[in-house]
Short mmCIF file of all heavy atoms in Angstrom, two decimals:
data_model
loop_
_atom_site.label_atom_id
_atom_site.label_comp_id
_atom_site.label_asym_id
_atom_site.label_seq_id
_atom_site.Cartn_x
_atom_site.Cartn_y
_atom_site.Cartn_z
N MET A 672 13.26 88.97 3.57
CA MET A 672 13.50 87.76 2.64
C MET A 672 14.56 88.07 1.72
O MET A 672 14.50 89.10 0.94
CB MET A 672 12.19 87.26 2.09
CG MET A 672 12.32 85.89 1.48
SD MET A 672 12.91 84.63 2.53
CE MET A 672 11.73 84.85 3.84
N ILE A 673 15.51 87.13 1.49
CA ILE A 673 16.57 87.29 0.51
C ILE A 673 16.42 86.24 -0.57
O ILE A 673 16.38 85.13 -0.22
CB ILE A 673 17.99 87.25 1.18
CG1 ILE A 673 18.10 88.32 2.35
CG2 ILE A 673 18.98 87.41 0.10
CD1 ILE A 673 19.24 88.09 3.22
N GLY A 674 16.19 86.76 -1.82
CA GLY A 674 16.20 85.87 -3.05
C GLY A 674 14.84 85.75 -3.54
O GLY A 674 13.90 85.48 -2.81
N GLY A 675 14.71 85.98 -4.82
CA GLY A 675 13.42 85.87 -5.48
C GLY A 675 13.14 84.76 -6.38
O GLY A 675 12.46 84.78 -7.42
N GLY A 676 13.78 83.50 -5.98
CA GLY A 676 13.41 82.36 -6.60
C GLY A 676 12.22 81.74 -5.97
O GLY A 676 11.48 82.44 -5.13
N ASN A 677 11.77 80.55 -6.37
CA ASN A 677 10.50 79.88 -5.78
C ASN A 677 10.55 79.82 -4.31
O ASN A 677 9.63 80.07 -3.61
CB ASN A 677 10.36 78.51 -6.43
CG ASN A 677 9.73 78.58 -7.65
OD1 ASN A 677 8.83 79.34 -8.02
ND2 ASN A 677 10.16 77.52 -8.55
N SER A 678 11.63 79.50 -3.72
CA SER A 678 11.85 79.31 -2.24
C SER A 678 11.63 80.75 -1.47
O SER A 678 10.83 80.86 -0.59
CB SER A 678 13.15 78.72 -1.81
OG SER A 678 13.28 77.51 -2.37
N GLY A 679 12.36 81.70 -1.98
CA GLY A 679 12.22 83.05 -1.36
C GLY A 679 10.80 83.59 -1.58
O GLY A 679 10.26 84.17 -0.51
N VAL A 680 10.26 83.62 -2.68
CA VAL A 680 8.96 84.08 -2.98
C VAL A 680 7.82 83.47 -2.14
O VAL A 680 6.94 83.98 -1.56
CB VAL A 680 8.72 84.31 -4.40
CG1 VAL A 680 7.18 84.59 -4.66
CG2 VAL A 680 9.52 85.15 -5.08
N GLU A 681 7.92 82.07 -2.13
CA GLU A 681 7.05 81.33 -1.30
C GLU A 681 7.07 81.73 0.09
O GLU A 681 6.16 81.78 0.81
CB GLU A 681 7.23 79.88 -1.50
CG GLU A 681 6.09 79.03 -0.78
CD GLU A 681 6.31 77.48 -0.96
OE1 GLU A 681 7.29 77.07 -0.59
OE2 GLU A 681 5.40 76.81 -1.55
N ALA A 682 8.29 81.75 0.64
CA ALA A 682 8.50 82.19 1.95
C ALA A 682 7.95 83.64 2.25
O ALA A 682 7.35 83.81 3.39
CB ALA A 682 9.90 82.09 2.40
N ALA A 683 8.31 84.52 1.43
CA ALA A 683 7.68 85.87 1.44
C ALA A 683 6.15 85.97 1.66
O ALA A 683 5.51 86.64 2.50
CB ALA A 683 8.21 86.72 0.44
N ILE A 684 5.55 85.11 0.77
CA ILE A 684 4.04 85.05 0.73
C ILE A 684 3.57 84.43 2.18
O ILE A 684 2.67 84.99 2.77
CB ILE A 684 3.46 84.12 -0.37
CG1 ILE A 684 3.75 84.80 -1.67
CG2 ILE A 684 2.11 83.83 -0.18
CD1 ILE A 684 3.62 83.87 -2.83
N ASP A 685 4.23 83.39 2.63
CA ASP A 685 3.81 82.81 3.92
C ASP A 685 4.04 83.83 5.06
O ASP A 685 3.15 84.09 5.96
CB ASP A 685 4.62 81.60 4.31
CG ASP A 685 4.23 80.49 3.39
OD1 ASP A 685 3.27 80.51 2.70
OD2 ASP A 685 5.04 79.49 3.24
N LEU A 686 5.22 84.49 5.10
CA LEU A 686 5.48 85.51 6.07
C LEU A 686 4.58 86.72 6.13
O LEU A 686 4.08 87.21 7.17
CB LEU A 686 6.85 86.08 5.81
CG LEU A 686 8.11 85.46 6.60
CD1 LEU A 686 9.37 86.15 6.25
CD2 LEU A 686 7.82 85.50 8.04
N ALA A 687 4.06 87.09 4.85
CA ALA A 687 3.20 88.25 4.79
C ALA A 687 1.82 88.10 5.55
O ALA A 687 1.19 88.88 5.90
CB ALA A 687 2.83 88.61 3.23
N ASN A 688 1.50 86.71 5.82
CA ASN A 688 0.26 86.36 6.43
C ASN A 688 0.44 86.59 7.93
O ASN A 688 -0.63 86.49 8.67
CB ASN A 688 -0.20 84.99 6.21
CG ASN A 688 -0.66 84.97 4.72
OD1 ASN A 688 -1.48 85.70 4.28
ND2 ASN A 688 -0.28 83.91 3.94
N ILE A 689 1.69 86.66 8.43
CA ILE A 689 1.75 86.66 9.85
C ILE A 689 2.61 87.85 10.46
O ILE A 689 2.76 88.07 11.68
CB ILE A 689 2.53 85.35 10.36
CG1 ILE A 689 3.77 85.02 9.70
CG2 ILE A 689 1.55 84.07 10.20
CD1 ILE A 689 4.55 83.92 10.24
N VAL A 690 3.20 88.64 9.59
CA VAL A 690 3.85 89.83 10.00
C VAL A 690 3.34 91.00 9.38
O VAL A 690 2.54 90.95 8.33
CB VAL A 690 5.40 89.86 9.72
CG1 VAL A 690 6.06 88.59 10.52
CG2 VAL A 690 5.64 89.71 8.25
N SER A 691 3.61 92.22 9.80
CA SER A 691 3.01 93.43 9.33
C SER A 691 3.53 93.84 7.91
O SER A 691 2.84 94.44 7.06
CB SER A 691 2.99 94.64 10.25
OG SER A 691 4.38 94.94 10.46
N HIS A 692 4.79 93.52 7.71
CA HIS A 692 5.52 93.96 6.48
C HIS A 692 6.64 92.98 6.17
O HIS A 692 7.35 92.59 6.95
CB HIS A 692 6.01 95.44 6.61
CG HIS A 692 6.39 96.03 5.37
ND1 HIS A 692 5.53 96.55 4.43
CD2 HIS A 692 7.65 95.95 4.71
CE1 HIS A 692 6.17 96.99 3.28
NE2 HIS A 692 7.44 96.62 3.46
N VAL A 693 6.81 92.76 4.82
CA VAL A 693 7.83 91.93 4.33
C VAL A 693 8.65 92.67 3.19
O VAL A 693 7.97 93.27 2.39
CB VAL A 693 7.33 90.57 3.73
CG1 VAL A 693 8.45 89.80 3.08
CG2 VAL A 693 6.54 89.78 4.82
N THR A 694 9.92 92.73 3.18
CA THR A 694 10.73 93.25 2.17
C THR A 694 11.49 92.05 1.48
O THR A 694 12.21 91.44 2.16
CB THR A 694 11.62 94.30 2.65
OG1 THR A 694 10.94 95.36 3.20
CG2 THR A 694 12.45 94.89 1.40
N LEU A 695 11.32 91.88 0.25
CA LEU A 695 12.01 90.80 -0.50
C LEU A 695 13.14 91.49 -1.32
O LEU A 695 12.92 92.43 -2.02
CB LEU A 695 11.15 90.00 -1.35
CG LEU A 695 11.70 88.80 -2.06
CD1 LEU A 695 10.69 87.66 -2.14
CD2 LEU A 695 12.27 89.17 -3.43
N ILE A 696 14.37 91.09 -1.20
CA ILE A 696 15.54 91.61 -1.78
C ILE A 696 16.16 90.59 -2.83
O ILE A 696 16.40 89.49 -2.42
CB ILE A 696 16.67 91.93 -0.66
CG1 ILE A 696 16.06 92.87 0.31
CG2 ILE A 696 17.87 92.49 -1.39
CD1 ILE A 696 17.01 93.09 1.60
N GLU A 697 16.26 91.07 -4.05
CA GLU A 697 16.63 90.11 -5.07
C GLU A 697 17.83 90.88 -5.87
O GLU A 697 17.91 91.89 -6.18
CB GLU A 697 15.50 89.92 -6.16
CG GLU A 697 15.86 89.43 -7.46
CD GLU A 697 16.69 87.99 -7.31
OE1 GLU A 697 16.25 87.18 -6.60
OE2 GLU A 697 17.76 87.96 -8.01
N PHE A 698 18.86 90.02 -5.99
CA PHE A 698 20.10 90.42 -6.64
C PHE A 698 19.96 90.82 -8.13
O PHE A 698 20.39 91.95 -8.66
CB PHE A 698 21.14 89.29 -6.66
CG PHE A 698 22.38 89.57 -7.34
CD1 PHE A 698 23.25 90.53 -6.93
CD2 PHE A 698 22.56 88.78 -8.59
CE1 PHE A 698 24.52 90.75 -7.61
CE2 PHE A 698 23.82 89.10 -9.24
CZ PHE A 698 24.71 90.08 -8.74
N ASP A 699 19.11 90.04 -8.85
CA ASP A 699 18.87 90.19 -10.19
C ASP A 699 17.88 91.37 -10.55
O ASP A 699 17.29 91.83 -9.63
CB ASP A 699 18.33 88.91 -10.77
CG ASP A 699 18.62 88.79 -12.39
OD1 ASP A 699 19.08 89.70 -12.96
OD2 ASP A 699 18.31 87.54 -12.84
N SER A 700 17.78 91.77 -11.86
CA SER A 700 16.82 92.77 -12.21
C SER A 700 15.35 92.24 -12.28
O SER A 700 14.43 93.04 -12.51
CB SER A 700 17.25 93.34 -13.48
OG SER A 700 17.25 92.36 -14.56
N LYS A 701 15.17 90.91 -12.07
CA LYS A 701 13.84 90.51 -12.06
C LYS A 701 13.64 89.09 -11.19
O LYS A 701 14.75 88.59 -10.86
CB LYS A 701 13.35 90.02 -13.55
CG LYS A 701 14.28 88.95 -14.13
CD LYS A 701 13.90 88.71 -15.56
CE LYS A 701 14.74 87.62 -16.26
NZ LYS A 701 16.15 87.51 -15.89
N LEU A 702 12.50 88.88 -10.68
CA LEU A 702 12.35 87.66 -9.93
C LEU A 702 12.47 86.48 -10.77
O LEU A 702 12.21 86.46 -11.91
CB LEU A 702 10.98 87.77 -9.25
CG LEU A 702 10.82 88.87 -8.24
CD1 LEU A 702 9.43 88.81 -7.59
CD2 LEU A 702 11.80 88.94 -7.16
N ARG A 703 12.85 85.22 -10.20
CA ARG A 703 13.04 84.02 -10.81
C ARG A 703 11.90 83.06 -10.58
O ARG A 703 11.81 81.95 -11.19
CB ARG A 703 14.41 83.38 -10.49
CG ARG A 703 14.88 82.38 -11.21
CD ARG A 703 16.23 81.86 -10.72
NE ARG A 703 17.27 82.77 -10.77
CZ ARG A 703 18.57 82.67 -10.39
NH1 ARG A 703 18.94 81.43 -10.10
NH2 ARG A 703 19.52 83.54 -10.66
N ALA A 704 11.10 83.42 -9.65
CA ALA A 704 9.95 82.44 -9.14
C ALA A 704 8.95 82.21 -10.32
O ALA A 704 8.91 83.07 -11.19
CB ALA A 704 9.33 82.99 -7.84
N ASP A 705 8.24 81.18 -10.24
CA ASP A 705 7.10 80.95 -11.17
C ASP A 705 6.17 82.02 -11.22
O ASP A 705 5.89 82.74 -10.16
CB ASP A 705 6.43 79.61 -10.76
CG ASP A 705 7.30 78.27 -10.82
OD1 ASP A 705 8.40 78.38 -11.55
OD2 ASP A 705 7.00 77.36 -10.32
N ASP A 706 5.59 82.15 -12.39
CA ASP A 706 4.61 83.30 -12.55
C ASP A 706 3.48 83.32 -11.51
O ASP A 706 3.05 84.37 -11.06
CB ASP A 706 3.98 83.31 -14.02
CG ASP A 706 4.96 83.77 -15.02
OD1 ASP A 706 6.01 84.29 -14.68
OD2 ASP A 706 4.78 83.47 -16.16
N VAL A 707 2.97 82.10 -11.22
CA VAL A 707 1.83 82.09 -10.41
C VAL A 707 2.31 82.66 -8.98
O VAL A 707 1.48 83.24 -8.18
CB VAL A 707 1.27 80.63 -10.17
CG1 VAL A 707 2.35 79.63 -9.56
CG2 VAL A 707 0.00 80.61 -9.49
N LEU A 708 3.53 82.30 -8.54
CA LEU A 708 3.98 82.86 -7.19
C LEU A 708 4.24 84.23 -7.25
O LEU A 708 3.86 85.14 -6.28
CB LEU A 708 5.20 82.12 -6.80
CG LEU A 708 5.06 80.66 -6.27
CD1 LEU A 708 6.52 80.04 -6.16
CD2 LEU A 708 4.17 80.55 -5.06
N GLN A 709 4.68 84.87 -8.41
CA GLN A 709 4.99 86.22 -8.53
C GLN A 709 3.61 87.00 -8.53
O GLN A 709 3.54 88.08 -7.93
CB GLN A 709 5.68 86.47 -9.89
CG GLN A 709 7.14 86.07 -9.73
CD GLN A 709 8.01 86.66 -10.89
OE1 GLN A 709 7.88 87.86 -11.30
NE2 GLN A 709 8.92 85.82 -11.52
N ARG A 710 2.58 86.47 -9.20
CA ARG A 710 1.39 87.14 -9.08
C ARG A 710 0.75 87.18 -7.72
O ARG A 710 0.18 88.17 -7.39
CB ARG A 710 0.24 86.31 -10.14
CG ARG A 710 0.54 86.72 -11.56
CD ARG A 710 -0.66 86.36 -12.41
NE ARG A 710 -0.90 84.96 -12.40
CZ ARG A 710 -0.36 84.09 -13.18
NH1 ARG A 710 0.57 84.44 -14.08
NH2 ARG A 710 -0.65 82.68 -13.09
N LYS A 711 0.77 86.17 -7.03
CA LYS A 711 0.35 86.15 -5.69
C LYS A 711 1.17 87.22 -4.83
O LYS A 711 0.53 87.98 -4.00
CB LYS A 711 0.56 84.71 -5.07
CG LYS A 711 0.24 84.63 -3.58
CD LYS A 711 -1.23 84.89 -3.24
CE LYS A 711 -1.58 84.95 -1.86
NZ LYS A 711 -3.09 85.27 -1.52
N LEU A 712 2.47 87.20 -4.98
CA LEU A 712 3.38 88.14 -4.27
C LEU A 712 2.81 89.61 -4.56
O LEU A 712 2.70 90.40 -3.62
CB LEU A 712 4.77 87.92 -4.71
CG LEU A 712 5.79 88.77 -3.84
CD1 LEU A 712 5.99 88.07 -2.42
CD2 LEU A 712 7.06 88.85 -4.59
N ASN A 713 2.73 89.79 -5.99
CA ASN A 713 2.33 91.22 -6.31
C ASN A 713 0.97 91.65 -5.75
O ASN A 713 0.67 92.81 -5.77
CB ASN A 713 2.50 91.32 -7.73
CG ASN A 713 4.02 91.30 -8.24
OD1 ASN A 713 4.92 91.58 -7.46
ND2 ASN A 713 4.17 90.80 -9.42
N SER A 714 0.17 90.72 -5.35
CA SER A 714 -1.17 91.03 -5.04
C SER A 714 -1.20 91.29 -3.43
O SER A 714 -2.29 91.80 -3.02
CB SER A 714 -2.18 89.90 -5.13
OG SER A 714 -2.01 88.73 -4.20
N LEU A 715 -0.11 91.27 -2.81
CA LEU A 715 -0.01 91.46 -1.34
C LEU A 715 0.35 92.86 -1.04
O LEU A 715 1.44 93.30 -1.57
CB LEU A 715 0.92 90.43 -0.69
CG LEU A 715 0.48 89.00 -0.91
CD1 LEU A 715 1.62 88.06 -0.35
CD2 LEU A 715 -0.87 88.70 -0.14
N ALA A 716 -0.48 93.70 -0.36
CA ALA A 716 -0.26 95.02 -0.11
C ALA A 716 0.90 95.21 0.81
O ALA A 716 1.57 96.36 0.84
CB ALA A 716 -1.48 95.72 0.43
N ASN A 717 1.20 94.29 1.70
CA ASN A 717 2.19 94.46 2.75
C ASN A 717 3.55 93.93 2.37
O ASN A 717 4.48 93.70 3.19
CB ASN A 717 1.80 93.87 4.02
CG ASN A 717 1.62 92.45 4.05
OD1 ASN A 717 1.40 91.90 2.97
ND2 ASN A 717 1.68 91.76 5.25
N VAL A 718 3.83 93.69 0.97
CA VAL A 718 5.12 93.27 0.57
C VAL A 718 5.80 94.35 -0.38
O VAL A 718 5.14 94.73 -1.32
CB VAL A 718 5.00 91.91 -0.18
CG1 VAL A 718 6.42 91.47 -0.73
CG2 VAL A 718 4.47 90.77 0.72
N ASP A 719 7.10 94.64 -0.11
CA ASP A 719 7.86 95.41 -1.00
C ASP A 719 8.83 94.52 -1.65
O ASP A 719 9.45 93.63 -1.03
CB ASP A 719 8.56 96.52 -0.34
CG ASP A 719 7.57 97.74 -0.03
OD1 ASP A 719 6.60 97.81 -0.75
OD2 ASP A 719 7.85 98.49 1.03
N VAL A 720 9.26 94.72 -2.97
CA VAL A 720 10.31 93.98 -3.61
C VAL A 720 11.36 94.88 -4.09
O VAL A 720 11.08 95.92 -4.76
CB VAL A 720 9.75 93.24 -4.79
CG1 VAL A 720 10.86 92.54 -5.65
CG2 VAL A 720 8.69 92.25 -4.43
N LEU A 721 12.50 94.64 -3.64
CA LEU A 721 13.73 95.38 -4.05
C LEU A 721 14.51 94.57 -5.13
O LEU A 721 14.97 93.65 -4.77
CB LEU A 721 14.67 95.88 -2.87
CG LEU A 721 14.16 96.55 -1.78
CD1 LEU A 721 15.15 96.93 -0.70
CD2 LEU A 721 13.57 97.91 -2.31
N LEU A 722 14.54 95.03 -6.26
CA LEU A 722 15.33 94.36 -7.38
C LEU A 722 16.80 95.05 -7.58
O LEU A 722 16.91 96.20 -7.09
CB LEU A 722 14.59 94.49 -8.79
CG LEU A 722 13.16 93.88 -8.78
CD1 LEU A 722 12.52 94.05 -10.15
CD2 LEU A 722 13.24 92.35 -8.51
N SER A 723 17.62 94.33 -8.17
CA SER A 723 19.03 94.72 -8.52
C SER A 723 19.66 95.11 -7.10
O SER A 723 20.30 96.20 -7.05
CB SER A 723 18.95 95.91 -9.52
OG SER A 723 18.38 95.57 -10.60
N ALA A 724 19.26 94.45 -6.08
CA ALA A 724 19.90 94.77 -4.73
C ALA A 724 20.52 93.51 -4.13
O ALA A 724 19.90 92.44 -3.82
CB ALA A 724 18.79 95.21 -3.80
N ARG A 725 21.93 93.61 -4.15
CA ARG A 725 22.51 92.37 -3.50
C ARG A 725 22.80 92.42 -2.03
O ARG A 725 23.26 93.51 -1.53
CB ARG A 725 23.85 92.28 -4.25
CG ARG A 725 24.68 91.06 -3.77
CD ARG A 725 26.07 90.96 -4.43
NE ARG A 725 26.93 89.96 -3.93
CZ ARG A 725 28.11 89.80 -4.02
NH1 ARG A 725 28.82 90.85 -4.78
NH2 ARG A 725 28.88 88.95 -3.58
N THR A 726 22.33 91.35 -1.36
CA THR A 726 22.51 91.32 0.10
C THR A 726 24.06 90.90 0.35
O THR A 726 24.35 89.91 -0.25
CB THR A 726 21.56 90.36 0.78
OG1 THR A 726 20.25 90.70 0.46
CG2 THR A 726 21.77 90.40 2.22
N THR A 727 24.74 91.74 1.07
CA THR A 727 26.06 91.34 1.35
C THR A 727 26.29 90.97 2.78
O THR A 727 27.37 90.44 3.18
CB THR A 727 26.93 92.53 1.05
OG1 THR A 727 26.52 93.60 1.85
CG2 THR A 727 26.90 92.91 -0.42
N GLU A 728 25.41 91.24 3.76
CA GLU A 728 25.68 90.98 5.11
C GLU A 728 24.30 90.86 5.94
O GLU A 728 23.31 91.71 5.52
CB GLU A 728 26.43 92.11 5.75
CG GLU A 728 26.90 91.82 7.21
CD GLU A 728 27.83 92.95 7.69
OE1 GLU A 728 27.93 93.98 6.95
OE2 GLU A 728 28.36 92.70 8.74
N VAL A 729 24.13 90.08 6.80
CA VAL A 729 22.98 89.99 7.81
C VAL A 729 23.56 90.19 9.12
O VAL A 729 24.40 89.48 9.57
CB VAL A 729 22.43 88.66 7.63
CG1 VAL A 729 21.21 88.70 8.68
CG2 VAL A 729 21.68 88.49 6.26
N VAL A 730 23.02 91.31 9.73
CA VAL A 730 23.54 91.62 11.06
C VAL A 730 22.44 91.24 12.15
O VAL A 730 21.34 91.74 12.01
CB VAL A 730 23.94 93.04 11.19
CG1 VAL A 730 24.36 93.40 12.59
CG2 VAL A 730 25.02 93.42 10.22
N VAL A 731 22.69 90.43 13.01
CA VAL A 731 21.70 89.98 14.02
C VAL A 731 22.11 90.78 15.29
O VAL A 731 23.23 90.55 15.87
CB VAL A 731 21.75 88.51 14.35
CG1 VAL A 731 20.82 88.06 15.29
CG2 VAL A 731 21.44 87.81 12.96
N MET A 732 21.23 91.63 15.85
CA MET A 732 21.46 92.35 17.08
C MET A 732 20.99 91.55 18.27
O MET A 732 19.83 91.18 18.32
CB MET A 732 20.66 93.67 16.98
CG MET A 732 21.02 94.42 15.66
SD MET A 732 22.67 94.99 15.60
CE MET A 732 22.61 96.46 16.76
N ALA A 733 21.77 91.30 19.19
CA ALA A 733 21.42 90.68 20.35
C ALA A 733 20.60 91.53 21.26
O ALA A 733 20.72 92.73 21.38
CB ALA A 733 22.59 90.22 21.23
N ARG A 734 19.43 90.95 21.83
CA ARG A 734 18.57 91.79 22.74
C ARG A 734 19.11 91.65 24.08
O ARG A 734 19.78 90.74 24.50
CB ARG A 734 17.15 91.11 22.69
CG ARG A 734 16.37 91.45 21.29
CD ARG A 734 15.01 91.11 21.65
NE ARG A 734 14.26 91.31 20.36
CZ ARG A 734 13.04 91.28 20.26
NH1 ARG A 734 12.20 90.92 21.27
NH2 ARG A 734 12.38 91.48 19.13
N GLY A 735 18.73 92.76 24.84
CA GLY A 735 18.96 92.68 26.31
C GLY A 735 20.33 93.26 26.43
O GLY A 735 21.07 93.77 27.16
C1 LIG B 1952 6.75 76.61 -4.34
C2 LIG B 1952 7.87 76.03 -5.16
C3 LIG B 1952 7.57 75.41 -6.43
C4 LIG B 1952 8.68 74.79 -7.07
N1 LIG B 1952 8.27 74.20 -8.23
C5 LIG B 1952 9.27 73.59 -8.99
C6 LIG B 1952 8.96 72.88 -10.17
O1 LIG B 1952 7.83 73.08 -10.75
N2 LIG B 1952 10.08 72.31 -10.96
C7 LIG B 1952 11.20 72.19 -10.40
O2 LIG B 1952 12.09 71.62 -11.12
N3 LIG B 1952 11.47 72.84 -9.25
C8 LIG B 1952 10.51 73.47 -8.44
N4 LIG B 1952 10.84 73.98 -7.32
C9 LIG B 1952 12.24 73.84 -6.82
C10 LIG B 1952 13.03 75.24 -7.02
O3 LIG B 1952 12.32 76.14 -7.96
C11 LIG B 1952 14.35 74.87 -7.34
O4 LIG B 1952 15.02 74.06 -6.43
C12 LIG B 1952 15.28 76.06 -7.64
O5 LIG B 1952 16.31 75.79 -8.50
C13 LIG B 1952 15.84 76.61 -6.36
O6 LIG B 1952 14.99 77.55 -6.00
P1 LIG B 1952 15.61 78.68 -4.98
O7 LIG B 1952 14.41 79.64 -4.89
O8 LIG B 1952 15.99 77.91 -3.76
O9 LIG B 1952 16.87 79.31 -5.54
P2 LIG B 1952 17.02 80.24 -6.86
O10 LIG B 1952 16.07 79.83 -7.90
O11 LIG B 1952 18.47 79.98 -7.13
O12 LIG B 1952 16.78 81.65 -6.28
C14 LIG B 1952 17.65 82.25 -5.49
C15 LIG B 1952 17.41 83.76 -5.73
O13 LIG B 1952 18.28 84.55 -4.76
C16 LIG B 1952 18.96 85.59 -5.46
N5 LIG B 1952 20.17 85.93 -4.74
C17 LIG B 1952 21.21 85.02 -4.57
N6 LIG B 1952 22.13 85.65 -3.72
C18 LIG B 1952 21.61 86.83 -3.43
C19 LIG B 1952 22.01 88.04 -2.59
N7 LIG B 1952 23.25 87.94 -1.99
N8 LIG B 1952 21.28 89.12 -2.53
C20 LIG B 1952 20.07 89.06 -3.07
N9 LIG B 1952 19.60 88.14 -3.88
C21 LIG B 1952 20.24 87.05 -4.01
C22 LIG B 1952 19.17 85.02 -6.89
O14 LIG B 1952 19.31 86.03 -7.88
C23 LIG B 1952 17.99 84.21 -7.20
O15 LIG B 1952 16.89 84.89 -7.80
C24 LIG B 1952 9.97 74.68 -6.53
C25 LIG B 1952 10.17 75.15 -5.29
C26 LIG B 1952 9.19 75.86 -4.51
C27 LIG B 1952 9.43 76.48 -3.17
#
């Protein structure tokens, strides 16, 4: 997940319920999402948060 605002953190929480691992990448040195969302995110064992990390490219690999 890219971005630690409300949208990104909420999506990371939802994803964490259906995939084995989620990595959230945030450009800033802290998340911008509401505290209640950050607390929920931090309570999830299968989520890693990378701060001060700017996403510059998304590469989609075609299958087959
Ligand atoms: C659950 C929820 C609750 C909400 N509650 C409210 C509310 O109470 N009041 C209200 O007014 N609005 C609310 N909103 C709306 C939302 O907070 C606003 O629309 C907000 O301005 C936009 O949030 P965002 O997460 O889309 O973007 P942003 O808050 O702008 O977050 C984007 C994040 O992505 C990061 N980013 C950007 N580019 C990169 C990059 N290249 N690599 C890595 N990171 C990057 C930024 O640093 C930033 O932290 C809510 C939304 C949700 C989903």
